[in-house]
Amino acid sequence: MVKGALGRSLRTAALCCATVLAPVAARADLLIENVTLIDGTGAAPLPGASILVKGDRISLISPSAIQHGGGVEVINGKGKYLIPGMMDTHIHLQRGVIRGANVPNDMTLTTEALHGYLYSGVTSLMNYGGTEFIFPLRDEERAGKIVSPRIFSSGQSLAVHGGYGDGPGSILIDDWAKAKPEMEAHYKKWKPDIQKVLIDRHGVFTPLDKVPTIENLRDALQVSNEHGVRTTVHAASEEDYELSLAAGIDAFAHVIRYPASDRLIARLATKQIPMSTTAVVFEYIARIADDTTFLDEPLFKATVNQEILGLQKADERTRYINSKMSAQYQSMRAMVPTNAKRLYDAGAILATGTDRTWGPTLHMEFALMQKAGIPPAAIVKMATLNGALYIGRQKDLGSIERGKLADMVLLTADPTKDVKNLQAIEAVIKDGKRIDLKKLNVPANKQTMAK
Ligand SMILES: [Zn+2]
């Protein structure tokens, strides 16, 4: 806090030398000074910067000091790095239960997962599915009733009879006369942030050759857009990607998991359609069969409770092995990072996403992208501004620019040198307010309290 006398002397100085000093801040809420700013746009880091937040928005960015009056919370950023809040553009938030495990069905695990994301520096989440559960939770988040990253979500998916995702969670668009009013009612009731389409003609285990016709898909995407809803697709094969592109999809929920032609890579880059990377879902499920040690890494221990980690190493691991999912994902484990690097080189918009349910997996995703040869500075942009582009909220989120919502993370190490440094989190700011990381409901804090 600025002391009264100091505040007054600064104001006096500002009055006498107004022509040479940076603008004066009045009644500001938060000032981060002398920090290296990495703004998320891909611009070169700016050392010695000051960022002033008023209310929930970024009000001023200066390459030097900003004079200020009293009533400002000042964060000294010397030797530190300020980035926009990170985003996971593909998650499935668990409703208090981990599939296949005998744990209580209450909101504890959901709260822990949300707090774990904040602890991991994640301030925006794009969730898929879980309509009745997720939209009330989103309402609570938007009303400021819960401590949580921003929640964005799809509701029911679009699929076809006999195709991938044919089931109670989906609206089946091949029966268009029935599907169209269903979609409209769904949008009216829940106002989803995105519409997910499921197209996967090969399936993971068995061929599911039913996919929508291009006319059918085009009609459906049009209805979504007319209701202000962006569209994304779980597509798998090259044909699935081509069909989605031809029908006018707005985003892709995965990077292609099969060998892809140069032609498709070029088209995806030219069209500038954001893609969620999701390499870690394949890495996680393939790797857990013969190596569970990644679940012992510090960020997992800090944010996911031991019981759940134990179940991942036992029940979930067995399920992945027995279902042959681990074996099936071995080839995709290498293919997705390879394709991500090709897309990056071609100039496509990649947004980091995990298809998982915990904050630490996003940091695994960053490591996989770096290992694939994407420079760490580019990964920072993938985790921030590109995430906002994916969600369609780039006007308000994703970068540290004047007028945007103040979602930011202060790091003690340089993330443009190594994405590991994205875990060196000192402060997380959402909506201009500093989150009290010590009060989050995560194992790290319980361990401290137990000592
Ligand atoms: Zn998914």
Side-chain angles (χ1 to χ4, degrees):
M1 288 299 260
V2 174
K3 292 263 161 42
L6 177 59
R8 273 195 297 282
S9 72
L10 284 171
R11 273 199 296 279
T12 313
L15 278 173
C16 82
C17 319
T19 50
V20 291
L21 287 172
V24 176
R27 296 193 314 275
D29 296 316
L30 185 64
L31 175 65
I32 299 142
E33 53 185 19
N34 199 14
V35 75
T36 297
L37 173 65
I38 297 161
D39 70 7
T41 66
L46 181 66
S50 299
I51 294 88
L52 181 70
V53 176
K54 284 187 183 181
D56 58 359
R57 303 241 169 207
I58 294 156
S59 135
L60 195 61
I61 298 166
S62 167
S64 55
I66 295 176
Q67 300 298 323
H68 54 81
V72 188
E73 185 192 345
V74 179
I75 298 177
N76 180 0
K78 193 169 190 291
K80 293 165 190 167
Y81 303 82
L82 190 70
I83 62 164
M86 293 176 253
M87 301 191 187
D88 191 332
T89 57
H90 191 147
I91 73 152
H92 297 274
L93 201 60
Q94 304 282 355
R95 187 186 188 172
V97 290
I98 301 299
R99 204 169 15 170
N102 182 25
V103 290
N105 182 9
D106 62 30
M107 287 296 287
T108 313
L109 293 179
T110 306
T111 308
E112 278 187 15
L114 291 171
H115 287 200
Y117 278 110
L118 285 172
Y119 193 93
S120 309
V122 181
T123 56
S124 287
L125 298 171
M126 175 56 90
N127 174 79
Y128 300 93
T131 305
E132 311 261 327
F133 149 69
I134 198 76
F135 292 117
L137 195 66
R138 185 187 64 174
D139 288 346
E140 287 187 49
E141 183 274 311
R142 290 187 183 173
K145 288 181 185 162
I146 55 169
V147 176
S148 164
R150 295 179 195 281
I151 297 173
F152 301 94
S153 191
S154 72
Q156 283 189 276
S157 297
L158 304 183
V160 293
H161 288 90
Y164 180 63
D166 174 0
S170 301
I171 296 173
L172 303 171
I173 58 170
D174 48 331
D175 186 353
W176 186 235
K178 190 163 166 270
K180 188 175 182 238
E182 267 179 47
M183 283 175 69
E184 289 172 332
H186 186 65
Y187 294 159
K188 201 168 166 227
K189 182 166 185 195
W190 299 109
K191 299 190 171 41
D193 301 290
I194 207 161
Q195 173 63 63
K196 193 181 192 188
V197 187
L198 304 172
I199 300 176
D200 195 336
R201 72 192 69 202
H202 300 312
V204 175
F205 306 112
T206 47
L208 298 158
D209 48 12
K210 294 282 188 292
V211 295
T213 64
I214 180 153
E215 294 80 12
N216 192 192
L217 184 57
R218 199 176 278 149
D219 286 347
L221 300 183
Q222 215 159 61
V223 167
S224 303
N225 286 171
E226 280 165 13
H227 286 76
V229 180
R230 282 170 69 72
T231 59
T232 189
V233 59
H234 163 108
S237 66
E238 178 136 354
E239 302 99 296
D240 301 336
Y241 276 75
E242 289 291 356
L243 170 63
S244 306
L245 278 175
I249 200 80
D250 299 315
F252 286 92
H254 297 283
V255 156
I256 185 163
R257 63 173 73 162
Y258 298 113
S261 71
D262 289 340
R263 180 176 168 273
L264 177 65
I265 300 287
R267 260 159 65 71
L268 289 166
T270 305
K271 287 189 167 276
Q272 292 287 287
I273 297 177
M275 273 168 281
S276 187
T277 53
T278 70
V280 72
V281 62
F282 304 103
E283 171 71 14
Y284 188 110
I285 293 171
R287 184 169 165 186
I288 204 167
D290 39 47
D291 170 26
T292 63
T293 56
F294 65 93
L295 295 168
D296 298 325
E297 282 174 19
L299 200 54
F300 270 103
K301 283 192 162 172
T303 59
V304 187
N305 78 51
Q306 278 303 319
E307 188 192 3
I308 298 303
L309 288 175
L311 287 165
Q312 286 293 306
K313 292 176 186 172
D315 300 30
E316 273 292 88
R317 176 174 174 271
T318 308
R319 188 174 77 83
Y320 289 139
I321 293 169
N322 291 348
S323 67
K324 307 237 185 317
M325 227 168 156
S326 292
Q328 186 80 19
Y329 280 8
Q330 283 295 344
S331 63
M332 297 161 186
R333 179 189 196 177
M335 189 58 69
V336 174
T338 300
N339 284 339
K341 175 63 163 53
R342 290 173 70 199
L343 286 159
Y344 169 76
D345 288 340
I349 300 177
L350 296 169
T352 50
T354 60
D355 205 357
R356 304 272 79 197
T357 193
W358 299 303
T361 60
L362 185 61
H363 290 274
M364 289 176 75
E365 185 74 25
F366 300 152
L368 291 169
M369 294 296 107
Q370 182 168 291
K371 201 174 150 206
I374 301 178
I379 298 169
V380 173
K381 186 180 177 187
M382 286 162 60
T384 57
L385 186 58
N386 288 1
L389 286 165
Y390 183 98
I391 299 171
R393 293 294 309 274
Q394 66 275 18
K395 264 193 210 161
D396 283 318
L397 297 171
S399 58
I400 301 177
E401 292 181 278
R402 195 172 181 170
K404 283 200 179 184
L405 289 165
D407 289 3
M408 306 184 286
V409 175
L410 187 67
L411 302 168
T412 56
D414 185 355
T416 66
K417 296 276 185 284
D418 188 328
V419 292
K420 220 178 245 169
N421 296 337
L422 288 165
Q423 295 183 39
I425 296 163
E426 174 158 309
V428 177
I429 295 154
K430 180 197 164 196
D431 258 336
K433 286 187 209 73
R434 191 171 176 168
I435 305 274
D436 191 344
L437 298 178
K438 294 207 166 65
K439 283 197 180 144
L440 293 174
N441 182 23
V442 290
N445 291 332
K446 286 168 207 158
Q447 286 154 15
T448 312
M449 282 187 285
K451 268 176 201 165

